[in-house]
């Protein structure tokens, strides 16, 4: 299993970023996928998850209405569009399989991409 995130960076408050995660080594289209994040000095936090069809989606209350998760099964790619970013969204964002999203311990996740929201 390989999960490679891209798209992180430095953005001003109120700005927008879109993260991408390209998956390989497993049947991506059959898996629940998600995003988790870890801010400096804080525990891992679940951000959003999406089922294989894109029909069932969950968001953390802290990002609901600002973030949108989506997937393209033909491209083996997971996305996270982040709008109206806040300084408290600063974190390393990880793409993860459904198992990791639930347990935050076992399963698979990528190496992470840094998102910094600062003026």
């Amino acid at each position: 299993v390989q999960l490679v995130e891209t798209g992180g960076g430095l953005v001003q408050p109120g700005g927008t970023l879109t993260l991408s995660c390209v998956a390989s080594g497993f049947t991506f289209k059959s898996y629940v996928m998600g995003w988790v994040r870890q801010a400096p000095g804080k525990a891992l936090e679940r951000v959003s998850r999406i089922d294989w069809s894109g029909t069932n989606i969950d968001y953390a209350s802290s990002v609901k209405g600002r973030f949108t998760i989506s997937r393209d099964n033909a491209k083996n790619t997971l996305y996270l569009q982040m709008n109206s970013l806040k300084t408290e969204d600063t974190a390393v964002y990880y793409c993860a399989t459904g198992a990791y999203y639930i347990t935050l311990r076992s399963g698979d996740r990528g190496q992470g991409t840094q998102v910094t929201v600062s003026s």
Side-chain angles (χ1 to χ4, degrees):
V1 173
Q2 188 171 18
L3 301 168
V4 179
E5 305 96 333
T6 57
L10 173 64
V11 63
Q12 292 187 339
T16 296
L17 278 177
T18 298
L19 307 182
S20 300
C21 170
V22 177
S24 61
F26 66 106
T27 309
F28 176 79
K29 64 182 180 181
S30 299
Y31 277 68
V32 173
M33 296 295 297
W35 292 94
V36 301
R37 67 185 181 184
Q38 189 164 29
K42 296 189 176 181
L44 281 165
E45 176 187 16
R46 300 176 185 88
V47 176
S48 181
R49 68 176 168 180
I50 184 169
D51 74 348
W52 67 273
S53 68
T55 302
N56 295 302
I57 292 174
D58 297 322
Y59 294 101
S61 57
S62 58
V63 307
K64 199 166 188 177
R66 300 187 298 120
F67 290 11
T68 301
I69 192 171
S70 61
R71 66 191 298 164
D72 185 336
N73 288 338
K75 296 182 178 179
N76 284 0
T77 303
L78 179 72
Y79 303 98
L80 185 68
Q81 182 175 340
M82 306 183 294
N83 298 329
S84 303
L85 282 161
K86 304 176 181 181
T87 54
E88 51 263 45
D89 294 318
T90 294
V92 178
Y93 284 71
Y94 299 95
C95 171
T97 60
Y100 189 91
Y101 185 90
I102 292 171
T103 65
L104 298 179
R105 183 178 307 179
S106 58
D108 298 285
R109 76 175 196 192
Q111 82 290 346
T113 187
Q114 176 71 48
V115 172
T116 302
V117 185
S118 175
S119 56

